[in-house]
Amino acid sequence: MRATIRIGKWLFLAAALVISFFPFYWMARTSVAGHDEVFSAEFSFLPESITFEAYARAWTDGALGNAMLVGLLVTFAILALQLLTCIPAAYVLAMHRRRWTGKLFGFVLLCLLIPGQVTMIPLFIGINQFRLGDTLAALILPFATSVLGTFMIRNQMMSIPRALMEASEMDGLGPVRTMISVVVPMAKPGIAAFSVYSIFVHWNDYMWPLLAARSPEIQTPPLALAIFQDAATGFDYPALAAGAAIVTVPIIIVFLVAQRHFVRGMSGTEITG
Amino acid sequence: MTAVHISNVNKNFGQVKALEDINLEVQSGENIAILGPSGSGKSTLLRTIAGLETVDTGEIRFGGELQNRIPPEARDVAIVFQSYALYPHLSSRENITLGLRHGKKLSRAKADARATDIATRMQVEHLLDRKPRQMSGGQRQRIALARALARRSSIVLLDEPLSGLDAQLHASLRVEIAGLLQSVGATGINVTHDQADAMAMASRIAVINKGRIEQLGTPEELYRQPQTLFVAGFVGTPPMNLFAVDPATRASPFGAHVGGGDEPVTLGVRPERFHAGEGDPRSPEVWRTGGTVVLIEPTGRERIVHLQLPSRESFALLMDSDSVPAIGEHLSVWCERSHVHVYSNTTEQRLGNARERGVSLHEHALVSSM
Amino acid sequence: MRFISRAIIGTTAATLTLSLAACGSSSSTGVANQPADGASVAAATDISQCTAEGTTIDVAFNSLAKEPMEAAVKVIEDRYPGLSINAVPSVSTDYGELTQQIVADIAVGKRPDVIMTGLGQMQFWVDTYNPVPLDKGVLPETYQTQFLGAGTARDGVTYLAPAQISAPVMAVNQDLLDAAGAGKAEDIKTYEDLLDVARQVSDHTGKPSVSIAPSGLPEWYTQGLVQNSGGTLVNEDGTAAFGDAAGIAALDIWSELGRDGLEAGIPAASEAVDIFTSGTLPVTMITTSNIASISQGVGDKFDWMPIKLPSIDGVQDRALPAGGNGYMVLSDDSCRAAFSGELIGQILTPESVMQASGTQRSYIPVDTIARDELLASDQASPQMTFAWTFDNKLTQWGGGFPGAHTAKIYDAIELMDQQLQTGAETATAVQDAVATIDAIVLGENS
């Protein structure tokens, strides 16, 4: 009986593994298969012939080198700004509760309810009024803070025992030093989880860069890949898959690095005093 | 070395009176305990001394200087928190030095030297590089204490310093803490719900209940003359037996009473003041009662014997291990009139012992009048 | 805690302001419908009255026309020294996304002079942004003017010069027909022919054999079926016209295929194309622009042929809705409008059309010289020849439903298409859709 359950669990996990890895495998397979083989009716696990021609095409036609540099710059600049703004905001909302902080937090949460499309055009107008249209700043500044980030980091900070705040008050650390030396290290899982989320979202963002970045020099990876999706005449699937594979690599690296913290942050960390 | 003076302190949380008219003087270098059940306001009192809570009215002075508007880090006080409140991501050394470096603005070298010094004194140097989760409860408590002492404050506050520790550690650590506080010459105030801890660590104890100090005194004073019904029922293991006197008939388990005025009262007798047997039948100083043995608790040298009265109330007495009755047996007991405490039902204050108050039994009054 | 520096609270306030600005930072698709821009229509003036020096023409287009646009820009800048043309292609080939970019630019005062737009969005521009009517004089003599219907709005005015165009047709897998002994692809001319072939193939394979996908291009496929059998999609007042007998008869084929279990039930048009390319789908509705990529995908794996849409009566030369794109002038200045017209003329010259319709793409060439050259090239397979010689008249995509409500109207049509695909009663499904659309349209007018 026990053994059956064990085997069942293993089978379930194995199935989950296959389901989650299959798209990656298929992406890799498509990227090295010829264009005509993409439309083959018969399923074959390995392509008949392997060619890396699609990678070359993706890299040069999509100008992926430059796009990845821009993407990294934009993504990490956004993350840095978001952490600079969200951490102090979350800290005040979580640790210095007053009568108005509850209302203020409710107000911040309301922002989560507003869909992105609603603010996109006003944001675009605003960015252009600052004469930042079609610049790197236009890709970065609108995301200088994140409501979700404030929310996630605040929630993490809420789990820090009150007594630690009092200990730091008795130690005379002051609010800023308390934040840096006590609260931030203890909120690390939440900060890491949000960081991974932010990097994912902004690395993959398409609509805003499509509006804000018109010059080829500042185009991000998703825009670079768009060139292979010809809506009218069909997609260049091998190049698209090769491009996607190249563009996914940094994200996988980020996830592997942050994985430990990320998983803890998602499951709600336990802090012992 | 600083004395603490608390005068007329009041503190409300909304409608709840947390502290009511608190007056307390702690001598410089003295070690006192604040004893009370949970929710009595003892932690609030400690936190107002630390500066973590403000007072609504009243004054807190250290060495004569008013503290009310001084933030906690600027007060000459250190606190050991109930849950230790060690920073979990920092080593013991960093826990000790963080406040010294950033609060007290000591250089890293000086702060490290202090940490090493106090750790050596407390024989916990080997723990300096461990993080809290790598230490046992007792080790964490020692590091929390080291962090407080490293501040070299004149006043050290301890909030339930021994809760959550096993019994053996409990007993040894309370002696150790008391000794440490004495050796550094700090004024110590520790909050506890455990009277054994309070008596072992403190020269004086303030018993607090519902935000009021019921009695302040040495352990002996608290034991000998509990000033209020609450203290009588709280201090002592087992606590004092309390017997209501029926206001109409003026009868208690000892019989009908005469004398002592008309005020409704409650009588109190410590379990160890009862003796088995009849006592001197002719002496008006001997009061008798009795009951059915319902429970016998061994405590080592002695036994606590619980007797049930016909009214189904029960009371306790201490007996030697070698003369223990059987359960269900009827046992007669007696005590001396001067060992019976008399408390006012209205003020809950102690009025004196029965002899001082002139309370006697009706039967004796008849005898003496004959 | 009480003794807190106020500095932190200041940071919160600043962050909050930024939060409001960044509300809902993640983005998604959706065309923003902006209110009509106040710019007045500027009729193109005689170009000899205009100075090129210091004039800048802004062009909004996408990478589909990258090469022809670069060539045309060079020619016009050489022809008018001092004129500068600012033409950076959008990376997206999605016309909705291109429209969104242009709308955003207009909102910040960067109204382009020339725009490329999907033919399906012409009415939106006409209704909302007052484009300049097309100056037909700029078109080369060899331009196939029968296609200008695709650039003509409901008011009868031609605003747009079609450039890369396509029409709804069907693709037939001849090998699968042969295996079932179902005859030749080119013999499918009437709905009856289509049903016969579908039944024979399905009897042979035991599987449904025709796909008309309801999603992806719902209004366009619907319009194609309706017009091809003599119906009309939109009335002159903008209400739905396909609820009449002709419309219902035209759409009945869809439902009949569904009822008879002959419809493959594929939801999206692009998916149907991919499945057809894999060789398992006998017949599917496609656009002529798909022909090149299907040819590439199929290679010599099987024999296939595009055919004109079968109709109820076998007539196959009625006007069909045009797909693809074209150019419009949005200039609010008459001289810039004139230069813009010149640029459009240049991008429609035979050389440019060669590049735009090209061998990689099977758009219908809008120029006869370009068409003939393409037909003479070694790329002129029977399938590509079919695309390049397609000569039905073309009409406006969407038939002229009011531009401000197209999204809702097309949703109603897509719902109808989904019902038809599953074999719902044709008249009921059509009347429901007509009622919904009329409520939307008349609601706007009242």
Side-chain angles (χ1 to χ4, degrees):
Chain A
M1 188 60 200
R2 270 228 175 138
T4 322
I5 291 173
R6 244 177 105 98
I7 291 168
K9 276 184 187 166
W10 276 104
L11 283 177
F12 177 79
L13 286 177
L17 204 67
V18 168
I19 289 168
S20 23
F21 274 97
F22 190 77
F24 288 97
Y25 162 72
W26 202 249
M27 176 175 80
R29 183 196 182 280
T30 305
S31 69
V32 295
H35 191 269
D36 52 341
E37 225 191 301
V38 172
F39 292 108
S40 171
E42 297 91 47
F43 175 85
S44 68
F45 206 69
L46 289 172
E48 279 166 27
S49 59
I50 287 180
T51 163
F52 290 94
E53 181 261 344
Y55 282 87
R57 204 145 31 97
W59 187 261
T60 49
D61 292 6
L64 278 184
N66 186 63
M68 301 249 287
L69 273 180
V70 171
L72 285 173
L73 181 68
V74 167
T75 305
F76 282 96
I78 287 174
L79 179 63
L81 286 173
Q82 284 180 335
L83 293 183
L84 272 176
T85 53
C86 293
I87 288 174
Y91 172 61
V92 169
L93 289 172
M95 297 305 189
H96 302 302
R97 268 170 287 172
R98 300 262 198 306
R99 236 170 303 147
W100 48 266
T101 43
K103 282 177 193 139
L104 192 67
F105 184 59
F107 202 56
V108 170
L109 282 190
L110 273 183
C111 287
L112 283 175
L113 300 178
I114 302 175
Q117 302 95 302
V118 175
T119 51
M120 197 148 21
I121 294 289
L123 208 52
F124 185 73
I125 294 171
I127 283 292
N128 276 278
Q129 274 171 351
F130 287 116
R131 301 185 180 281
L132 294 173
D134 202 21
T135 63
L136 274 177
L139 292 175
I140 296 167
L141 286 185
F143 309 103
T145 189
S146 160
V147 172
L148 188 75
T150 308
F151 177 68
M152 280 174 75
I153 296 171
R154 171 199 172 265
N155 283 3
Q156 180 79 52
M157 288 178 178
M158 294 292 278
S159 67
I160 298 175
R162 205 90 201 118
L164 283 182
M165 292 299 95
E166 295 182 337
S168 90
E169 197 179 351
M170 293 302 298
D171 272 343
L173 296 189
V176 174
R177 173 55 63 179
T178 300
M179 180 176 82
I180 295 169
S181 293
V182 180
V183 173
V184 166
M186 294 190 65
K188 250 192 211 156
I191 293 171
F194 169 69
S195 300
V196 170
Y197 166 83
S198 169
I199 290 170
F200 262 73
V201 165
H202 295 291
W203 182 257
N204 292 324
D205 191 14
Y206 178 67
M207 271 325 285
W208 176 255
L210 183 70
L211 275 192
R214 307 295 177 82
S215 306
E217 314 79 75
I218 59 164
Q219 275 165 357
T220 56
L223 293 185
L225 291 183
I227 199 154
F228 302 115
Q229 320 180 20
D230 189 326
T233 59
F235 291 7
D236 183 347
Y237 288 105
L240 204 54
I246 296 171
V247 162
T248 310
V249 168
I251 287 288
I252 291 174
I253 293 172
V254 164
F255 187 82
L256 289 180
V257 169
Q259 191 183 28
R260 214 165 53 89
H261 293 297
F262 183 60
V263 173
R264 262 207 292 169
M266 296 298 259
S267 59
T269 177
E270 72 290 6
I271 293 168
T272 50
Chain B
M1 300 272 263
T2 308
V4 177
H5 292 248
I6 298 167
S7 42
N8 304 316
V9 160
N10 283 279
K11 170 81 183 171
N12 293 340
F13 291 118
Q15 297 294 316
V16 181
K17 281 186 176 173
L19 297 176
E20 196 179 349
D21 211 21
I22 300 283
N23 287 281
L24 185 63
E25 291 202 6
V26 187
Q27 304 307 315
S28 181
E30 191 186 9
N31 196 353
I32 83 155
I34 299 171
L35 175 66
S38 56
S40 58
K42 58 187 190 300
S43 280
T44 307
L45 178 57
L46 197 75
R47 292 161 58 82
T48 59
I49 300 170
L52 293 168
E53 301 279 359
T54 52
V55 298
D56 294 344
T57 58
E59 291 183 346
I60 294 173
R61 288 176 187 274
F62 293 170
E65 262 180 69
L66 188 63
Q67 301 291 312
N68 290 33
R69 298 193 160 276
I70 297 177
E73 71 271 16
R75 295 188 183 188
D76 188 14
V77 60
I79 186 167
V80 178
F81 290 93
Q82 177 170 12
S83 53
Y84 320 135
L86 293 174
Y87 308 119
H89 57 291
L90 298 181
S91 69
S92 299
R93 185 190 310 278
E94 291 162 327
N95 261 287
I96 295 168
T97 57
L98 188 69
L100 298 179
R101 289 177 52 211
H102 298 293
K104 293 223 176 259
K105 308 289 180 204
L106 294 188
S107 69
R108 180 188 282 271
K110 277 189 178 166
D112 279 351
R114 268 210 206 179
T116 310
D117 175 52
I118 189 74
T120 311
R121 198 116 66 95
M122 294 178 64
Q123 299 174 347
V124 290
E125 317 95 285
H126 61 293
L127 301 176
L128 279 177
D129 293 317
R130 293 203 199 160
K131 290 195 173 170
R133 65 167 176 280
Q134 298 165 318
M135 296 189 287
S136 69
Q139 290 172 326
R140 288 181 203 177
Q141 178 58 280
R142 286 187 174 90
I143 295 301
L145 192 63
R147 177 170 70 177
L149 296 180
R151 287 177 63 83
R152 300 194 179 157
S153 300
S154 306
I155 301 159
V156 177
L157 310 175
L158 301 105
D159 190 357
E160 300 274 9
L162 300 165
S163 69
L165 299 180
D166 62 63
Q168 213 174 354
L169 196 58
H170 203 118
S172 67
L173 201 56
R174 70 186 177 200
V175 176
E176 190 179 325
I177 291 173
L180 260 171
L181 288 180
Q182 218 156 31
S183 75
V184 299
T187 305
I189 301 177
N190 67 78
V191 149
T192 180
H193 67 277
D194 184 325
Q195 50 181 305
D197 287 346
M199 291 186 186
M201 293 174 72
S203 53
R204 286 193 301 157
I205 297 170
V207 180
I208 187 168
N209 181 42
K210 292 180 181 163
R212 301 175 62 97
I213 292 184
E214 298 267 346
Q215 184 173 1
L216 173 65
T218 63
E220 286 71 36
E221 285 166 347
L222 290 183
Y223 180 75
R224 286 218 183 123
Q225 296 196 340
Q227 285 303 311
T228 66
L229 272 176
F230 175 79
V231 178
F234 189 70
V235 175
T237 318
M240 186 180 283
N241 297 301
L242 296 173
F243 303 99
V245 177
D246 189 300
T249 62
R250 301 200 68 192
S252 79
F254 298 104
H257 296 284
V258 294
D262 296 331
E263 195 172 356
V265 296
T266 298
L267 305 177
V269 184
R270 290 233 172 257
E272 53 273 36
R273 297 296 184 191
F274 276 121
H275 312 285
E278 299 294 328
D280 179 353
R282 287 157 305 174
S283 169
E285 298 303 315
V286 172
W287 289 14
R288 291 178 204 85
T289 185
T292 313
V293 177
V294 288
L295 179 68
I296 299 168
E297 285 180 72
T299 63
R301 193 162 49 84
E302 288 164 323
R303 309 265 153 135
I304 303 168
V305 178
H306 294 260
L307 300 184
Q308 194 175 55
L309 295 164
S311 65
R312 305 200 71 78
E313 286 170 88
S314 63
F315 67 99
L317 72 152
L318 286 188
M319 294 181 75
D320 280 343
S321 306
D322 47 7
S323 56
V324 173
I327 297 225
E329 187 182 326
H330 181 88
L331 190 65
S332 294
V333 296
W334 63 276
C335 64
E336 285 178 33
R337 179 156 74 130
S338 58
H339 289 148
V340 177
H341 304 256
V342 182
Y343 293 91
S344 159
N345 282 358
T346 46
T347 64
E348 302 192 351
Q349 294 289 315
R350 184 173 184 274
L351 302 172
N353 68 39
R355 186 175 182 171
E356 290 160 357
R357 292 288 295 171
V359 181
S360 52
L361 287 175
H362 191 241
E363 52 189 284
H364 294 144
L366 282 178
V367 169
S368 60
S369 71
M370 281 199 309
Chain C
M1 301 218 287
R2 300 166 307 108
F3 304 98
I4 295 309
S5 86
R6 308 275 151 175
I8 297 253
I9 291 155
T11 314
T12 329
T15 302
L16 184 72
T17 316
L18 283 167
S19 294
L20 292 177
C23 255
S25 320
S26 56
S27 40
S28 67
T29 46
V31 175
N33 276 336
Q34 284 292 103
D37 187 85
S40 57
V41 185
T45 187
D46 181 354
I47 204 154
S48 61
Q49 318 248 311
C50 298
T51 33
E53 189 63 46
T55 302
T56 303
I57 302 296
D58 288 320
V59 185
F61 70 112
N62 73 23
S63 50
L64 287 179
K66 191 165 178 280
E67 294 84 9
M69 183 60 78
E70 278 168 3
V73 165
K74 195 169 180 309
V75 170
I76 297 297
E77 281 184 339
D78 287 349
R79 189 183 301 164
Y80 301 102
L83 180 74
S84 68
I85 299 174
N86 179 19
V88 180
S90 165
V91 288
S92 168
T93 56
D94 181 296
Y95 296 128
E97 290 171 0
L98 179 62
T99 296
Q100 201 167 12
Q101 286 184 326
I102 300 170
V103 164
D105 283 342
I106 294 174
V108 297
K110 293 187 199 156
R111 185 178 171 110
D113 297 290
V114 176
I115 65 165
M116 173 203 254
T117 187
L119 294 177
Q121 277 146 10
M122 182 180 69
Q123 193 70 40
F124 165 77
W125 293 110
V126 171
D127 289 352
T128 322
Y129 286 99
N130 297 325
V132 180
L134 177 69
D135 175 6
K136 290 174 193 163
V138 303
L139 299 174
E141 305 224 318
T142 47
Y143 188 87
Q144 303 211 58
T145 47
Q146 77 269 27
F147 294 142
L148 283 177
T152 306
R154 199 172 73 235
D155 59 9
V157 178
T158 303
Y159 292 96
L160 174 145
Q164 295 176 304
I165 56 173
S166 62
V169 292
M170 280 190 169
V172 181
N173 183 327
Q174 187 61 52
D175 283 5
L176 292 178
L177 263 60
D178 290 347
K184 289 286 157 204
E186 57 263 34
D187 294 333
I188 303 171
K189 293 185 186 307
T190 66
Y191 282 173
E192 268 317 307
D193 298 339
L194 179 63
L195 287 166
D196 279 347
V197 168
R199 284 196 193 99
Q200 289 176 54
V201 177
S202 286
D203 283 350
H204 182 74
T205 61
K207 286 187 288 190
S209 44
V210 180
S211 164
I212 304 175
S215 299
L217 300 163
E219 70 281 1
W220 198 67
Y221 276 11
T222 303
Q223 185 181 8
L225 291 173
V226 167
Q227 291 185 187
N228 191 51
S229 288
T232 311
L233 191 71
V234 187
N235 289 316
E236 274 184 24
D237 65 355
T239 56
F242 60 94
D244 60 5
I248 292 171
L251 290 170
D252 196 43
I253 180 70
W254 208 337
S255 185
E256 190 161 358
L257 288 167
R259 280 194 297 273
D260 296 357
L262 303 171
E263 225 299 340
I266 299 162
S270 60
E271 217 175 311
V273 170
D274 290 349
I275 294 171
F276 179 85
T277 309
S278 75
T280 54
L281 181 62
V283 181
T284 182
M285 191 149 167
I286 61 166
T287 117
T288 52
S289 59
N290 294 139
I291 290 172
S293 66
I294 294 175
S295 286
Q296 271 195 328
V298 171
D300 50 11
K301 279 189 292 194
F302 59 87
D303 184 19
W304 74 285
M305 220 17 227
I307 58 165
K308 287 193 172 185
L309 285 184
S311 69
I312 197 156
D313 51 9
V315 176
Q316 288 182 292
D317 58 359
R318 295 194 176 101
L320 292 173
N325 61 57
Y327 294 91
M328 299 175 91
V329 178
L330 285 190
S331 288
D332 45 15
D333 171 271
S334 55
C335 275
R336 290 213 311 276
F339 287 120
S340 299
E342 291 284 304
L343 179 65
I344 290 178
Q346 187 58 39
I347 207 168
L348 296 172
T349 56
E351 309 79 64
S352 293
V353 173
M354 275 284 291
Q355 284 176 312
S357 296
T359 50
Q360 297 296 306
R361 294 164 179 149
S362 47
Y363 286 112
I364 303 167
V366 291
D367 183 274
T368 51
I369 297 177
R371 179 194 66 196
D372 295 343
E373 276 195 42
L374 287 169
L375 291 173
S377 73
D378 57 359
Q379 298 290 317
S381 64
Q383 294 86 359
M384 294 299 272
T385 301
F386 174 89
W388 288 332
T389 57
F390 197 86
D391 58 357
N392 283 37
K393 275 194 157 186
L394 295 180
T395 61
Q396 182 189 6
W397 177 321
F401 281 121
H405 293 300
T406 46
K408 276 195 233 163
I409 292 170
Y410 295 170
D411 279 351
I413 293 179
E414 183 172 353
L415 179 65
M416 174 187 81
D417 293 352
Q418 286 164 349
Q419 292 169 337
L420 292 177
Q421 187 190 32
T422 56
E425 215 271 301
T426 313
T428 317
V430 170
Q431 296 302 351
D432 284 354
V434 167
T436 307
I437 293 168
D438 288 356
I440 295 167
V441 173
L442 297 174
E444 185 214 18
N445 291 345
S446 61

